C-alpha cells in the first residue's frame, strides 16, 4: 500500500543507466521493497526498466517467466531482457498502449478508471487458461507465509485492526472460505497495474510477479480495496459491478486479511 510514484529525485542504478542507452531514465514508481521502475523514452517506443536492489526479495526472473507465458493469451509487456549483478536485478520490457489507472488525469475520472479495472480483470481471468498455467498462487503457501511473518497489529491496515491479535487473525486465515472460481490470478491486481486507453477501455496489465492459479476473489478483494486507496470511498461496488459479480463480504474480508498479513 506504500507503493507510489516517487516525488523526489532518485538515484539511477548504473545497470539501469546502461539499459537506457543515453535516454534519461525517469523514475515512475517505487514499491514497498525499495524497488524502482524507470521509463526509458516516450511515445510508442518507450521501454520500462524495473530495478530490485539486492536483498529486496523481489524475483524479477520469475516475473519475466510469467510475462512470457501470459503474453500468449493476453496483453502484457514484452520481455526485452532480464539480468542482474551483486547490487540487484533488473527487468527490461517494452511499453504498452495506455496509461496507468492511477495516472493523475484518470484519478480525476474515477468512474472511467474503476470500470476499466473491473472489466480488464474479468477479461484477464477469462483469457488465461487454468489448465495450462504452470504457476500457482497457493493459498496454503500464503497462509504459511502469514504464520512465518506474524505481522503485528500495529503494522496492519486500519481496516483490519478489529481482528485484535495475531493469533485471532491467523485463526481466521486457517479457515478459508470454500473456493468460488479458480482462475489464473494477476497476483497484484491493485489499480496501478491496469492500463487504460484514451477511450476508457483497459489496454493491458503490468507487474505479474506473483501470477498464478487461485480463487478469483484473491484478486477481486485487492482490486476493489485498492479503489479506496486511490480514488476514495464508494468505488468498491462499481468495480465489482464492472467485473460482473455481487459483493461476497466473507471472501472480500478473508483475502484482504491474507493480503495484508503476507
Amino acid at each position: 500500500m506504500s507503493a507510489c510514484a516517487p516525488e523526489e529525485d532518485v538515484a539511477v542504478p548504473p545497470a539501469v543507466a546502461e539499459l537506457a542507452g543515453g535516454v534519461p531514465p525517469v523514475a515512475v514508481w517505487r514499491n514497498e521493497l525499495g524497488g524502482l521502475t524507470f521509463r526509458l523514452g516516450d511515445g510508442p517506443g518507450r521501454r520500462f526498466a524495473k530495478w530490485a536492489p539486492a536483498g529486496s526479495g523481489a524475483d524479477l526472473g520469475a516475473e519475466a517467466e510469467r510475462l512470457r507465458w501470459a503474453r500468449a493469451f493476453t496483453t502484457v509487456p514484452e520481455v526485452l531482457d532480464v539480468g542482474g549483478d551483486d547490487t540487484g536485478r533488473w527487468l527490461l520490457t517494452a511499453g504498452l498502449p495506455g496509461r496507468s489507472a492511477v495516472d493523475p488525469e484518470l484519478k480525476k475520472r474515477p468512474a472511467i478508471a474503476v470500470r476499466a479495472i473491473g472489466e480488464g480483470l474479468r477479461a484477464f481471468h477469462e483469457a488465461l487458461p487454468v489448465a495450462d498455467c504452470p504457476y500457482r498462487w497457493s493459498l496454503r503457501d500464503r497462509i504459511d507465509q502469514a504464520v512465518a511473518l506474524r505481522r503485528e497489529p500495529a503494522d496492519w491496515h486500519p481496516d483490519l485492526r478489529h481482528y485484535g491479535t495475531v493469533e485471532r487473525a491467523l485463526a481466521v486465515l486457517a479457515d478459508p472460505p470454500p473456493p468460488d472460481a479458480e482462475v489464473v490470478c494477476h497476483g497484484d491486481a491493485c489499480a496501478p497495474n491496469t492500463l487504460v486507453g484514451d477511450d476508457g477501455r483497459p489496454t493491458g496489465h503490468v507487474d505479474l510477479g506473483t501470477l498464478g492459479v487461485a480463487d478469483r476473489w484473491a484478486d477481486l478483494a485487492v482490486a476493489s480495496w485498492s479503489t479506496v486507496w486511490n480514488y476514495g470511498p464508494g468505488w468498491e461496488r462499481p468495480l465489482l459491478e464492472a467485473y460482473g459479480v455481487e459483493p461476497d463480504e466473507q471472501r472480500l474480508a478473508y483475502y484482504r486479511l491474507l493480503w495484508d498479513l503476507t
Side-chain angles (χ1 to χ4, degrees), residues 46-140:
R46 69 192 187 282
R47 299 167 298 151
F48 290 87
K50 293 184 71 171
W51 170 257
S56 69
D59 189 345
L60 297 185
E63 181 171 358
E65 291 178 7
R66 285 162 169 79
L67 286 169
R68 290 180 177 125
W69 178 81
R71 189 167 164 78
F73 308 103
T74 191
T75 304
V76 299
E78 176 187 3
V79 175
L80 301 176
D81 210 346
V82 62
D85 55 29
D86 291 342
T87 64
R89 299 283 294 174
W90 48 264
L91 172 63
L92 182 67
T93 60
L96 291 176
R99 51 188 169 176
S100 169
V102 298
D103 180 272
E105 288 303 313
L106 283 167
K107 291 187 78 168
K108 297 175 185 176
R109 300 184 291 167
I112 292 173
V114 168
R115 185 180 69 242
I117 297 166
E119 291 178 351
L121 188 58
R122 181 60 178 256
F124 186 93
H125 287 168
E126 291 180 344
L128 298 170
V130 171
D132 297 335
C133 183
Y135 312 107
R136 299 197 67 84
W137 199 24
S138 166
L139 180 57
R140 181 69 263 164

Side-chain angles (χ1 to χ4, degrees), residues 219-240:
D219 268 351
L220 283 165
V222 176
S224 57
W225 202 15
S226 79
T227 64
V228 179
W229 318 330
N230 290 286
Y231 311 110
W235 294 105
E236 296 172 85
R237 181 176 284 272
L239 183 140
L240 297 174

Side-chain angles (χ1 to χ4, degrees), residues 148-202:
L149 289 173
R150 290 188 64 86
R151 295 187 69 228
E152 292 298 323
D155 298 325
W156 300 352
H157 189 280
D159 289 355
L160 304 175
R161 291 180 186 161
H162 64 277
Y163 288 104
T165 66
V166 176
E167 289 72 20
R168 184 181 175 198
L170 293 178
V172 170
L173 294 184
D175 185 24
D180 172 38
E182 194 174 65
V183 301
V184 179
C185 280
H186 180 287
D188 186 1
C190 297
N193 293 333
T194 295
L195 302 181
V196 185
D198 291 340
D199 61 357
R201 308 287 299 191

